[in-house]
């Protein structure tokens, strides 16, 4: 039987993760299914299930190894960039596959320590990116005060996750504006 | 063996729920443990586990049968009432027992349909209460526009759940002020 020390076990694990990340980058989270990953990696579907019994575990692990498609490519004005980024996040988290990852994100302390570590790494990345963006917004005179980046992540991401999971609904453009407004006092910008 | 049609099975289920609700009202969510509920109901702990293998399932079901201790006893000024209610919610959801219920709340579509039904009932209750509160705030001249009650629930509850679960942190009074501000434009009130 295969064990975690078996070189074949390690090789198949690496091949599956590489395939999952390729699909994630090409097709987004919905592309990361056990069937497609098995095909892409050239292994049997049962092998994928042995490594990752739950599809969301595989997706979360694949996501932790790629440049997250959230809050990237910062440009000014920051407010417009933030609006576009939040639209992407809201649309992604409306998809069941990504929502399953969100459920892991929101499990809190306890639960699988490896998952917790990945979750913390993802949140740290998003917090860093938002912190830089809000500092830029203050420097550019768009925003009065950048506040705490951790609070900003909670204020922006919390309601989106709540809407798509607990409320099973979609995030309107109007709600996105309210999220942006919740960060602080924005100054009107010249067009 | 007991089945769900067995009168003894139904009686023990009812006795356990009654006990769980009594403990919930008296001691809050941390009081609802399998051990204490078994003692209070006068049944063996194994019987409680047979009905509800997971403690959070029992807590959620108990919570669905009592008047939720959130956003009750509305008074003016609404802003001060809201501040106190959010402090209570934030402190409750910082407790692991309640966080486990929050994880069920955030599972989204799919998952146990009975749990989903209870979750929807709880969210509907909170949405109604907040809707009434924000309408009162507008009537009293505290708030300019009450907005959508569903959005208000997401804007207030989402960041609190995100902070206590995903970020494993506590909700500061400053963050609570930001949550309240996110609902719209509040007018300064005379002291």
């Amino acid at each position: 039987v295969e064990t975690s020390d078996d070189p074949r076990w390690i090789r198949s694990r690496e091949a599956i993760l590489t395939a999952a990340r390729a699909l994630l980058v090409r097709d987004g989270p919905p592309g990361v299914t056990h069937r497609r990953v098995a095909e892409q990696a050239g292994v049997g579907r049962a092998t994928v299930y042995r490594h990752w019994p739950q599809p969301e575990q595989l997706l979360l692990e694949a996501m932790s190894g790629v440049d997250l498609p959230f809050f990237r490519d910062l440009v000014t004005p920051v407010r417009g960039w933030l609006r576009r980024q939040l639209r992407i996040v809201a649309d992604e988290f409306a998809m069941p596959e990504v929502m399953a990852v969100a459920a892991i994100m929101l499990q809190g302390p306890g639960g699988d320590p490896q998952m917790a570590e990945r979750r913390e790494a993802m949140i740290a990345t998003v917090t860093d990116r938002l912190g830089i963006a809000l500092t830029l917004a203050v420097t550019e005179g768009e925003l009065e005060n950048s506040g705490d980046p951790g609070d900003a992540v909670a204020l922006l991401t919390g309601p989106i996750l709540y809407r798509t999971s607990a409320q099973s609904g979609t995030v309107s453009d109007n709600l996105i504006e309210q999220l942006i407004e919740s960060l602080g006092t924005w100054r009107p910008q010249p067009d």
Side-chain angles (χ1 to χ4, degrees), chain A:
Chain A
V1 290
E2 289 174 326
T3 72
S4 52
D5 294 329
D6 188 318
R8 285 168 305 175
W9 177 256
I10 295 169
R11 267 201 306 276
S12 71
R13 184 188 161 83
E14 287 305 314
I16 291 164
L17 265 184
T18 302
R21 285 175 185 146
L23 289 166
L24 179 63
V25 169
R26 201 189 69 193
D27 302 329
V32 186
T33 65
H34 275 65
R35 189 179 56 76
R36 289 198 212 166
V37 170
E39 279 172 13
Q40 175 90 5
V43 302
R45 215 193 294 188
T47 307
V48 182
Y49 276 102
R50 270 205 301 281
H51 284 282
W52 288 277
Q54 303 295 329
E56 60 267 28
Q57 293 170 344
L58 173 56
L59 179 56
L60 181 62
E61 186 141 1
M63 287 175 86
S64 73
V66 297
D67 189 13
L68 283 179
F70 304 135
F71 305 112
R72 272 195 315 207
D73 307 323
L74 177 60
V75 291
T76 57
V78 174
R79 187 172 178 146
W81 170 83
L82 200 51
R83 186 182 292 128
R84 293 188 297 276
Q85 295 299 316
L86 290 171
R87 188 71 264 161
I88 292 170
V89 171
D91 293 343
E92 290 273 327
F93 275 103
M95 294 186 285
E97 307 85 345
V98 188
M99 205 185 295
V101 173
I104 295 176
M105 301 280 291
L106 291 161
Q107 261 168 9
D112 186 332
Q114 280 200 312
M115 289 289 145
E117 204 177 289
R118 279 183 201 107
R119 178 180 66 208
E120 277 161 37
M122 284 177 63
I123 293 175
T125 301
V126 169
T127 308
D128 285 349
R129 289 181 186 173
L130 272 176
I132 292 166
L134 296 179
T135 302
L136 179 63
V138 172
T139 310
E140 294 281 308
E142 287 186 64
L143 184 64
E144 263 186 24
N145 195 308
S146 66
D148 175 66
D151 282 359
V153 173
L155 287 165
L156 296 176
T157 315
I160 290 176
L161 294 181
Y162 192 84
R163 169 57 46 91
T164 54
S165 59
Q167 293 178 319
S168 306
T170 54
V171 177
S172 67
D173 288 341
N174 180 54
L175 183 53
I176 286 180
E177 289 307 314
Q178 278 187 279
L179 297 177
I180 295 172
E181 287 286 343
S182 76
L183 296 179
T185 308
W186 294 83
R187 296 202 187 90
Q189 294 296 299
D191 285 326

